[in-house]
Coordinates of all heavy atoms in Angstrom, one line a residue:
M21 N 168.0 231.0 248.1 CA 167.2 231.7 247.0 C 167.8 231.2 245.6 O 168.9 231.2 245.4 CB 167.4 233.2 247.1 CG 166.6 234.0 246.2 SD 166.8 235.8 246.4 CE 168.5 236.1 246.0
I22 N 166.8 231.1 244.8 CA 167.1 230.6 243.4 C 167.0 231.9 242.5 O 166.0 232.7 242.6 CB 166.2 229.6 242.8 CG1 166.2 228.3 243.6 CG2 166.3 229.4 241.3 CD1 165.2 227.3 243.2
V23 N 168.1 232.1 241.8 CA 168.2 233.3 240.8 C 168.6 232.8 239.5 O 169.3 231.8 239.3 CB 169.3 234.3 241.3 CG1 168.8 235.0 242.7 CG2 170.6 233.8 241.4
S24 N 168.0 233.5 238.5 CA 168.4 233.2 237.1 C 169.7 233.9 236.8 O 170.3 234.6 237.7 CB 167.4 233.8 236.1 OG 167.8 233.6 234.9
S25 N 170.3 233.6 235.7 CA 171.6 234.1 235.3 C 171.3 235.4 234.5 O 170.3 235.7 234.0 CB 172.4 233.3 234.5 OG 172.8 232.1 235.2
N26 N 172.4 236.3 234.5 CA 172.4 237.5 233.7 C 172.6 237.0 232.2 O 173.6 236.5 231.8 CB 173.5 238.4 234.1 CG 173.6 239.6 233.3 OD1 172.8 239.9 232.4 ND2 174.6 240.4 233.5
L27 N 171.5 237.1 231.5 CA 171.6 236.7 230.1 C 172.1 237.6 229.0 O 172.2 237.3 227.8 CB 170.2 236.2 229.6 CG 169.6 235.0 230.4 CD1 168.3 234.7 229.8 CD2 170.5 233.9 230.6
T28 N 172.7 238.7 229.6 CA 173.3 239.8 228.7 C 174.8 239.5 228.9 O 175.4 238.8 229.8 CB 172.9 241.2 229.2 OG1 173.9 241.6 230.2 CG2 171.5 241.3 229.6
P29 N 175.7 240.2 227.9 CA 177.0 240.0 228.0 C 177.7 240.9 229.1 O 178.9 241.0 229.1 CB 177.6 240.4 226.7 CG 176.5 241.2 226.1 CD 175.2 240.9 226.7
G30 N 176.9 241.5 230.0 CA 177.5 242.4 231.0 C 178.2 241.5 232.1 O 178.3 240.3 232.0
K31 N 178.5 242.2 233.3 CA 179.2 241.6 234.4 C 178.3 240.4 234.8 O 177.2 240.5 235.1 CB 179.3 242.6 235.5 CG 180.0 242.2 236.7 CD 180.0 243.3 237.8 CE 180.5 242.8 239.2 NZ 180.3 243.9 240.2
N32 N 179.1 239.3 235.1 CA 178.4 238.0 235.6 C 177.3 237.4 234.5 O 176.5 236.7 234.9 CB 177.7 238.2 237.0 CG 178.7 238.5 238.0 OD1 179.8 237.9 238.0 ND2 178.4 239.3 238.8
G33 N 177.5 237.8 233.2 CA 176.7 237.4 232.2 C 177.4 236.5 231.3 O 178.2 235.9 231.5
L34 N 176.7 236.5 230.1 CA 177.1 235.5 229.0 C 178.2 236.1 228.0 O 178.1 235.8 226.8 CB 175.9 235.1 228.2 CG 174.8 234.5 229.1 CD1 173.6 234.1 228.2 CD2 175.2 233.4 230.0
K35 N 179.2 236.7 228.5 CA 180.2 237.3 227.6 C 181.0 236.1 226.9 O 181.4 235.2 227.5 CB 181.2 238.2 228.4 CG 182.1 238.9 227.5 CD 182.9 240.1 228.3 CE 183.6 240.8 227.2 NZ 184.4 241.8 227.8
G36 N 181.0 236.3 225.6 CA 181.7 235.2 224.9 C 180.9 234.0 224.4 O 181.3 233.1 223.8
W37 N 179.6 234.0 224.9 CA 178.8 232.9 224.6 C 178.4 233.1 223.1 O 177.9 234.2 222.7 CB 177.5 232.8 225.4 CG 177.8 232.3 226.8 CD1 178.7 232.7 227.7 CD2 177.1 231.3 227.4 NE1 178.6 232.0 228.8 CE2 177.5 231.0 228.7 CE3 176.0 230.4 227.1 CZ2 177.1 230.1 229.7 CZ3 175.4 229.6 227.9 CH2 176.1 229.4 229.2
T38 N 178.3 232.0 222.5 CA 177.7 232.0 221.1 C 176.2 231.5 221.1 O 175.8 230.9 222.2 CB 178.4 231.1 220.1 OG1 178.3 229.7 220.6 CG2 180.0 231.3 220.0
A39 N 175.4 231.7 220.0 CA 174.1 231.1 220.0 C 174.1 229.7 220.3 O 173.3 229.1 220.9 CB 173.4 231.6 218.7
D40 N 175.1 228.9 219.6 CA 175.1 227.6 219.9 C 175.4 227.1 221.4 O 174.8 226.2 221.8 CB 176.3 226.9 219.0 CG 175.9 226.7 217.5 OD1 174.6 226.8 217.3 OD2 176.8 226.6 216.7
D41 N 176.1 228.0 222.1 CA 176.2 227.7 223.5 C 174.9 227.8 224.2 O 174.6 227.0 225.1 CB 177.2 228.7 224.2 CG 178.7 228.6 223.6 OD1 179.0 227.5 223.3 OD2 179.4 229.6 223.6
V42 N 174.1 228.9 223.8 CA 172.8 229.0 224.5 C 171.9 227.9 224.1 O 171.1 227.3 224.9 CB 172.1 230.3 224.0 CG1 170.7 230.5 224.7 CG2 173.1 231.5 224.6
V43 N 171.9 227.4 222.8 CA 171.1 226.3 222.4 C 171.4 225.0 223.2 O 170.6 224.2 223.6 CB 171.4 226.0 220.9 CG1 170.8 224.5 220.4 CG2 170.8 227.0 220.0
N44 N 172.8 224.9 223.6 CA 173.1 223.7 224.4 C 172.6 223.8 225.7 O 172.3 222.7 226.3 CB 174.7 223.6 224.4 CG 175.3 223.0 223.2 OD1 174.6 222.2 222.5 ND2 176.5 223.2 223.0
V45 N 172.4 225.0 226.3 CA 171.7 225.1 227.6 C 170.1 224.7 227.4 O 169.7 223.9 228.2 CB 171.8 226.6 228.1 CG1 170.8 226.8 229.2 CG2 173.2 226.9 228.6
L46 N 169.6 225.2 226.4 CA 168.1 224.9 226.2 C 167.9 223.4 226.0 O 167.1 222.8 226.6 CB 167.5 225.8 225.1 CG 167.6 227.3 225.4 CD1 167.1 228.1 224.1 CD2 166.7 227.7 226.5
K47 N 168.6 222.9 225.1 CA 168.4 221.6 224.6 C 169.1 220.5 225.4 O 168.5 219.4 225.6 CB 168.8 221.4 223.1 CG 168.2 222.3 222.1 CD 166.7 221.8 221.7 CE 166.8 220.6 220.8 NZ 165.4 220.2 220.6
K48 N 170.2 220.8 226.0 CA 170.9 219.7 226.7 C 171.1 220.0 228.2 O 171.5 219.2 229.0 CB 172.3 219.5 226.1 CG 172.2 219.1 224.7 CD 173.7 219.0 224.0 CE 173.6 218.6 222.6 NZ 175.1 218.8 221.9
G49 N 170.9 221.3 228.6 CA 171.2 221.7 230.0 C 172.6 221.7 230.4 O 173.1 221.5 231.5
I50 N 173.4 222.0 229.4 CA 174.9 222.0 229.6 C 175.3 223.5 229.2 O 175.1 223.9 228.2 CB 175.6 221.1 228.6 CG1 175.1 219.6 228.7 CG2 177.1 221.1 228.8 CD1 175.4 219.0 230.2
D51 N 176.2 224.1 230.2 CA 176.7 225.4 230.0 C 177.8 225.5 229.1 O 178.4 224.4 228.7 CB 176.9 226.1 231.4 CG 178.1 225.7 232.1 OD1 178.9 225.0 231.5 OD2 178.3 226.1 233.2
K52 N 178.4 226.6 228.9 CA 179.6 226.8 228.0 C 180.8 226.1 228.3 O 181.6 225.7 227.5 CB 179.8 228.3 227.9 CG 180.9 228.8 226.9 CD 181.0 230.3 226.9 CE 181.9 230.9 226.0 NZ 183.3 230.5 226.3
D53 N 180.9 225.8 229.6 CA 182.1 225.0 230.2 C 181.7 223.6 230.4 O 182.6 222.8 230.8 CB 182.5 225.7 231.5 CG 182.8 227.1 231.4 OD1 183.5 227.5 230.3 OD2 182.4 228.0 232.2
G54 N 180.7 223.2 229.8 CA 180.4 221.8 229.9 C 179.8 221.3 231.2 O 179.5 220.1 231.4
N55 N 179.4 222.2 232.1 CA 178.8 221.9 233.4 C 177.2 221.9 233.3 O 176.7 222.7 232.5 CB 179.2 222.9 234.4 CG 180.7 223.0 234.6 OD1 181.3 221.9 234.7 ND2 181.2 224.2 234.6
A56 N 176.6 220.9 234.0 CA 175.2 220.8 234.1 C 174.7 222.1 234.8 O 175.3 222.6 235.8 CB 174.7 219.5 234.8
L57 N 173.4 222.5 234.5 CA 172.7 223.6 235.0 C 171.9 223.1 236.3 O 171.5 222.0 236.3 CB 171.9 224.4 234.1 CG 172.5 225.6 233.4 CD1 173.5 225.1 232.5 CD2 171.5 226.5 232.7
C58 N 171.6 224.1 237.1 CA 170.7 223.7 238.2 C 169.2 224.1 237.8 O 169.0 224.9 236.9 CB 171.0 224.6 239.4 SG 172.6 224.2 240.3
P59 N 168.4 223.4 238.4 CA 167.0 223.7 238.2 C 166.6 225.2 238.8 O 167.5 225.7 239.5 CB 166.2 222.7 239.1 CG 167.2 222.1 240.0 CD 168.6 222.4 239.4
P60 N 165.5 225.7 238.5 CA 164.3 225.1 237.9 C 164.1 225.4 236.5 O 163.0 225.0 236.0 CB 163.2 225.8 238.7 CG 163.7 227.2 238.8 CD 165.2 227.1 239.1
M61 N 165.1 225.8 235.8 CA 164.9 226.1 234.4 C 164.6 224.7 233.7 O 165.3 223.8 233.9 CB 166.2 226.7 233.8 CG 166.1 227.1 232.4 SD 167.6 228.0 232.0 CE 167.6 227.8 230.2
P62 N 163.6 224.8 232.8 CA 163.2 223.5 232.2 C 163.9 223.1 231.0 O 163.5 222.9 229.9 CB 161.7 223.7 231.9 CG 161.7 225.2 231.6 CD 162.7 225.8 232.5
F63 N 165.1 222.8 231.2 CA 166.1 222.6 230.1 C 166.2 221.1 229.8 O 165.8 220.2 230.6 CB 167.5 223.2 230.5 CG 168.0 222.7 231.9 CD1 168.3 221.4 232.1 CD2 168.0 223.7 233.0 CE1 168.8 221.1 233.5 CE2 168.4 223.3 234.2 CZ 168.7 222.0 234.5
G64 N 167.0 220.7 228.8 CA 167.4 219.3 228.5 C 166.4 218.5 228.0 O 165.1 218.8 227.9
P65 N 166.7 217.3 227.6 CA 165.8 216.3 226.9 C 164.6 216.1 227.6 O 163.5 215.8 227.1 CB 166.7 215.1 226.9 CG 168.1 215.5 227.2 CD 168.0 216.8 227.9
N66 N 164.5 216.1 229.0 CA 163.3 215.8 229.7 C 162.5 217.1 230.2 O 161.6 216.9 230.9 CB 163.7 215.0 231.0 CG 164.3 213.6 230.5 OD1 163.8 212.9 229.7 ND2 165.4 213.2 231.2
G67 N 163.1 218.3 229.7 CA 162.4 219.4 230.2 C 161.7 220.1 229.0 O 161.9 219.7 227.9
A68 N 160.8 221.1 229.2 CA 160.1 221.7 228.2 C 161.0 222.3 227.0 O 160.8 222.1 225.8 CB 159.2 222.9 228.8
F69 N 162.1 222.9 227.5 CA 162.9 223.4 226.4 C 163.6 222.4 225.5 O 164.0 222.8 224.4 CB 164.0 224.5 227.1 CG 163.4 225.7 227.7 CD1 164.1 226.4 228.5 CD2 162.1 226.1 227.3 CE1 163.7 227.6 229.1 CE2 161.7 227.3 227.9 CZ 162.3 228.1 228.8
G70 N 163.8 221.2 226.1 CA 164.4 220.2 225.3 C 163.5 219.8 224.1 O 164.0 219.2 223.2
G71 N 162.3 220.1 224.2 CA 161.4 219.8 223.1 C 161.2 220.9 222.0 O 160.5 220.7 221.1
L72 N 162.1 222.0 222.2 CA 162.1 223.0 221.1 C 162.7 222.4 219.9 O 163.6 221.5 220.0 CB 162.9 224.2 221.6 CG 162.4 225.1 222.7 CD1 163.5 226.0 223.2 CD2 161.3 226.0 222.1
T73 N 162.1 222.8 218.8 CA 162.8 222.4 217.5 C 164.2 223.0 217.5 O 164.4 224.1 218.1 CB 162.0 222.9 216.3 OG1 162.0 224.3 216.1 CG2 160.6 222.3 216.3
A74 N 165.1 222.5 216.7 CA 166.4 223.1 216.6 C 166.3 224.6 216.1 O 167.0 225.4 216.6 CB 167.3 222.2 215.7
S75 N 165.4 224.7 215.2 CA 165.2 226.1 214.5 C 164.7 227.0 215.5 O 165.3 228.3 215.7 CB 164.3 226.0 213.4 OG 164.0 227.3 212.9
D76 N 163.7 226.7 216.3 CA 163.2 227.5 217.4 C 164.3 227.9 218.5 O 164.4 229.1 219.0 CB 161.9 227.0 218.0 CG 160.7 227.1 217.1 OD1 160.8 227.8 216.2 OD2 159.7 226.5 217.4
A77 N 164.9 226.9 218.9 CA 166.0 227.0 219.9 C 167.1 228.0 219.4 O 167.5 228.9 220.2 CB 166.7 225.7 220.3
L78 N 167.4 227.8 218.2 CA 168.4 228.7 217.7 C 167.9 230.2 217.5 O 168.7 231.1 217.7 CB 169.0 228.2 216.2 CG 170.1 229.0 215.5 CD1 171.3 229.0 216.5 CD2 170.5 228.3 214.3
D79 N 166.6 230.3 217.2 CA 166.0 231.6 217.0 C 166.1 232.3 218.4 O 166.5 233.6 218.5 CB 164.6 231.6 216.6 CG 164.5 231.3 215.1 OD1 165.6 231.4 214.4 OD2 163.4 231.1 214.6
I80 N 165.7 231.6 219.5 CA 165.8 232.3 220.8 C 167.2 232.6 221.2 O 167.5 233.6 221.7 CB 165.2 231.2 221.8 CG1 163.7 231.0 221.6 CG2 165.4 231.7 223.3 CD1 163.1 229.8 222.4
A81 N 168.2 231.5 221.0 CA 169.6 231.8 221.3 C 170.1 232.9 220.5 O 170.9 233.7 221.2 CB 170.3 230.5 221.1
T82 N 169.8 233.0 219.3 CA 170.3 234.1 218.5 C 169.8 235.5 219.1 O 170.5 236.5 219.1 CB 169.9 234.0 217.0 OG1 170.4 232.8 216.5 CG2 170.4 235.2 216.2
Y83 N 168.6 235.5 219.5 CA 168.0 236.8 220.1 C 168.8 237.1 221.4 O 169.2 238.2 221.6 CB 166.5 236.7 220.4 CG 166.1 237.7 221.4 CD1 166.0 239.1 220.9 CD2 165.8 237.4 222.8 CE1 165.5 240.0 221.9 CE2 165.4 238.4 223.6 CZ 165.2 239.7 223.2 OH 164.9 240.6 224.1
I84 N 169.0 236.1 222.3 CA 169.8 236.3 223.5 C 171.1 236.9 223.2 O 171.6 237.8 223.9 CB 169.9 235.0 224.2 CG1 168.6 234.4 224.6 CG2 170.9 235.2 225.4 CD1 167.8 235.3 225.7
T85 N 171.8 236.5 222.1 CA 173.1 237.1 221.9 C 173.1 238.5 221.3 O 174.2 239.1 221.1 CB 173.9 236.2 220.9 OG1 173.1 236.2 219.5 CG2 174.1 234.8 221.4
T86 N 171.9 239.1 221.0 CA 171.9 240.4 220.6 C 171.6 241.4 221.8 O 171.6 242.6 221.6 CB 170.7 240.6 219.6 OG1 169.4 240.5 220.3 CG2 170.8 239.7 218.5
L87 N 171.4 240.9 223.0 CA 171.1 241.7 224.2 C 172.3 242.7 224.5 O 173.4 242.3 224.4 CB 170.8 240.9 225.3 CG 169.4 240.0 225.2 CD1 169.3 239.1 226.5 CD2 168.2 240.9 225.1
A88 N 172.0 243.9 224.8 CA 173.0 244.9 225.2 C 173.5 244.5 226.6 O 172.7 243.9 227.5 CB 172.3 246.3 225.2
P89 N 174.8 244.8 226.8 CA 175.3 244.3 228.2 C 174.6 245.1 229.3 O 174.3 246.3 229.2 CB 176.7 244.8 228.1 CG 177.0 245.3 226.7 CD 175.7 245.4 226.0
A90 N 174.2 244.4 230.4 CA 173.7 245.0 231.7 C 174.5 244.2 232.8 O 174.6 243.0 232.7 CB 172.2 244.8 231.7
D91 N 175.0 245.0 233.7 CA 175.8 244.3 234.7 C 174.9 243.8 235.9 O 173.8 244.4 236.2 CB 176.8 245.4 235.4 CG 177.9 245.8 234.3 OD1 178.1 245.1 233.4 OD2 178.5 246.8 234.5
S92 N 175.4 242.7 236.5 CA 174.7 242.1 237.6 C 175.7 241.8 238.7 O 176.8 241.4 238.4 CB 173.9 240.9 237.1 OG 173.5 240.2 238.2
D93 N 175.3 242.0 239.9 CA 176.2 241.6 241.0 C 175.8 240.3 241.6 O 176.4 239.8 242.5 CB 176.1 242.7 242.1 CG 176.7 244.0 241.8 OD1 177.8 243.9 241.0 OD2 176.2 245.1 242.2
I94 N 174.8 239.6 240.9 CA 174.4 238.2 241.3 C 175.3 237.2 240.6 O 175.5 237.2 239.5 CB 173.0 238.0 241.0 CG1 172.0 239.0 241.7 CG2 172.6 236.6 241.2 CD1 170.5 238.9 241.4
I95 N 175.9 236.5 241.6 CA 176.7 235.4 241.1 C 176.0 234.0 241.4 O 175.8 233.7 242.5 CB 178.1 235.3 241.8 CG1 178.8 236.7 241.6 CG2 178.9 234.2 241.3 CD1 180.0 236.8 242.4
P96 N 175.6 233.3 240.3 CA 175.0 232.0 240.6 C 175.9 231.1 241.5 O 177.0 230.9 241.0 CB 174.6 231.5 239.2 CG 174.7 232.6 238.2 CD 175.7 233.6 238.9
L97 N 175.4 230.6 242.5 CA 176.2 229.7 243.4 C 175.9 228.3 243.4 O 176.5 227.5 244.1 CB 176.2 230.4 244.7 CG 176.8 231.8 245.0 CD1 176.5 232.2 246.5 CD2 178.2 231.8 244.6
C98 N 174.9 228.0 242.6 CA 174.5 226.6 242.7 C 175.4 225.7 242.1 O 176.2 226.0 241.2 CB 173.1 226.5 242.0 SG 173.2 225.9 240.4
V99 N 175.5 224.5 242.7 CA 176.2 223.3 242.0 C 175.2 222.3 241.6 O 174.4 221.8 242.5 CB 177.2 222.8 243.1 CG1 177.9 221.6 242.4 CG2 178.2 223.8 243.6
A100 N 175.1 222.0 240.4 CA 174.1 221.1 239.8 C 174.4 219.6 240.4 O 175.5 219.3 240.6 CB 174.2 221.2 238.3
P101 N 173.3 219.0 240.6 CA 173.4 217.6 241.1 C 173.9 216.8 239.9 O 173.9 217.3 238.8 CB 171.9 217.2 241.4 CG 171.1 218.3 240.6 CD 171.9 219.5 240.5
A102 N 174.4 215.7 240.2 CA 174.9 214.8 239.2 C 173.9 214.5 238.2 O 172.7 214.5 238.6 CB 175.4 213.5 239.8
A103 N 174.2 214.4 236.9 CA 173.2 214.1 236.0 C 172.5 212.7 236.2 O 173.2 211.8 236.6 CB 174.0 214.1 234.5
P104 N 171.2 212.7 235.9 CA 170.6 211.4 236.1 C 171.0 210.4 235.0 O 171.5 210.8 234.0 CB 169.1 211.8 236.0 CG 169.1 213.0 235.1 CD 170.3 213.8 235.4
P105 N 170.8 209.1 235.4 CA 171.1 208.1 234.3 C 170.3 208.4 233.0 O 169.3 208.9 233.1 CB 170.9 206.8 235.0 CG 170.0 207.1 236.1 CD 170.2 208.6 236.5
A106 N 170.9 208.0 232.0 CA 170.1 208.0 230.7 C 168.8 207.4 230.8 O 168.6 206.3 231.3 CB 170.9 207.4 229.6
G107 N 167.7 208.2 230.4 CA 166.3 207.7 230.5 C 165.8 207.7 231.9 O 164.8 207.2 232.1
G108 N 166.6 208.4 232.8 CA 166.1 208.4 234.2 C 165.3 209.6 234.6 O 164.4 209.9 233.8
A109 N 165.5 210.1 235.7 CA 164.7 211.1 236.3 C 164.6 212.3 235.3 O 165.3 212.6 234.4 CB 165.2 211.6 237.7
S110 N 163.6 213.3 235.6 CA 163.4 214.4 234.8 C 164.6 215.3 235.1 O 165.5 215.2 235.9 CB 162.2 215.3 235.2 OG 162.3 215.9 236.5
S111 N 164.7 216.3 234.2 CA 165.8 217.4 234.2 C 165.9 218.1 235.5 O 166.8 218.9 235.6 CB 165.8 218.2 232.9 OG 164.7 219.1 233.1
G112 N 164.8 218.2 236.3 CA 164.8 219.1 237.4 C 165.9 218.9 238.4 O 166.3 219.8 239.0
G113 N 166.3 217.7 238.5 CA 167.4 217.5 239.6 C 166.8 217.6 241.0 O 165.5 217.7 241.2
A114 N 167.7 217.7 241.9 CA 167.2 217.8 243.3 C 166.6 219.1 243.7 O 167.3 220.2 243.4 CB 168.4 217.5 244.2
P115 N 165.5 219.2 244.2 CA 164.9 220.5 244.5 C 165.8 221.2 245.6 O 166.3 220.6 246.5 CB 163.5 220.2 245.2 CG 163.3 218.7 244.9 CD 164.6 218.1 244.6
G116 N 165.7 222.4 245.5 CA 166.6 223.2 246.5 C 168.0 223.3 246.3 O 168.8 223.7 247.3
A117 N 168.6 222.7 245.3 CA 170.0 222.6 245.1 C 170.6 223.9 244.8 O 171.7 224.2 245.0 CB 170.3 221.7 243.9
A118 N 169.8 224.9 244.3 CA 170.3 226.2 244.1 C 170.3 227.1 245.3 O 169.5 226.8 246.2 CB 169.4 227.0 242.9
V119 N 171.0 228.1 245.4 CA 171.0 229.0 246.6 C 170.5 230.3 246.1 O 170.5 230.6 245.0 CB 172.4 229.2 247.2 CG1 172.9 227.9 247.7 CG2 173.4 229.7 246.2
Ligands
LIG210 C1 163.8 231.2 226.7 C2 163.9 231.4 228.0 C3 165.3 231.1 228.6 C4 166.6 231.2 228.1 C5 167.1 231.6 226.8 C6 167.5 230.9 229.3 C7 168.8 230.9 229.2 C8 169.8 230.6 230.2 C9 171.1 230.4 230.1 C10 171.9 230.7 228.8 C11 171.7 230.1 231.3 C12 173.1 229.8 231.6 C13 173.8 231.0 232.2 C14 175.2 230.6 232.7 O1 175.6 229.4 232.8 O2 175.9 231.5 233.1 C15 170.5 230.1 232.2 C16 170.6 229.9 233.5 C17 169.5 229.8 234.4 N1 168.2 229.9 234.1 FE1 167.5 230.3 232.2 N2 166.8 230.7 230.5 C18 165.4 230.9 230.2 C19 164.3 230.5 231.0 C20 164.5 230.2 232.3 C21 163.3 229.9 233.2 C22 161.9 229.8 232.7 C23 163.8 229.7 234.4 C24 163.1 229.5 235.7 C25 161.9 229.0 235.8 C26 165.2 230.0 234.4 C27 166.1 229.8 235.4 C28 167.5 229.9 235.2 C29 168.3 229.7 236.4 C30 167.9 229.4 237.9 C31 169.6 229.6 235.9 C32 171.0 229.4 236.7 C33 171.3 228.0 236.7 C34 172.7 227.7 237.1 O3 173.5 228.6 237.6 O4 173.1 226.5 237.1 N3 165.6 230.2 233.0 N4 169.4 230.4 231.5

């Protein structure tokens, strides 16, 4: 099963994330710890979110950082596939990589 992440600063969420960290997810598909994300979020240079302007990405990210904490017992367990070569496949990665 594919599940999204808790985007609030609650349990299993984005505690300590800055707006720039969220921008990096949207524009680059890289999380706060420098790890690649799993699909199906359309992140990164080859995904829809990669086409956001810097200003729009920052606006979305700034909003995300204002969310009140809500706890989640869901722990994302996916391990992202290796990044495709530059200019290679889409950001989607291998289907079904998430659990
Ligand atoms: C503006 C809209 C969105 C924002 C701001 C957003 C933000 C984020 C962020 C910051 C993370 C990283 C969380 C972490 O590493 O702990 C994340 C993960 C994730 N998002 Fe999104 N997201 C958005 C839309 C979507 C959409 C449209 C989908 C699915 C179609 C999606 C699916 C996921 C999934 C499955 C993960 C977990 C990926 C992993 O654990 O590697 N997101 N999202």
Side-chain angles (χ1 to χ4, degrees):
M21 181 176 70
I22 297 172
V23 294
S24 180
S25 296
N26 178 5
L27 299 187
T28 83
K31 181 180 170 190
N32 295 321
L34 303 182
K35 188 163 188 184
W37 284 52
T38 65
D40 282 344
D41 292 332
V42 178
V43 167
N44 278 337
V45 164
L46 297 173
K47 299 283 287 178
K48 300 179 184 169
I50 303 293
D51 75 12
K52 185 172 182 290
D53 301 318
N55 299 315
L57 266 71
C58 289
M61 188 171 156
F63 48 71
N66 298 314
F69 290 164
L72 288 166
T73 65
S75 171
D76 284 347
L78 185 58
D79 282 351
I80 293 168
T82 300
Y83 165 70
I84 293 295
T85 61
T86 68
L87 297 175
D91 292 339
S92 169
D93 289 325
I94 295 175
I95 304 170
L97 296 175
C98 95
V99 177
S110 76
S111 70
V119 293

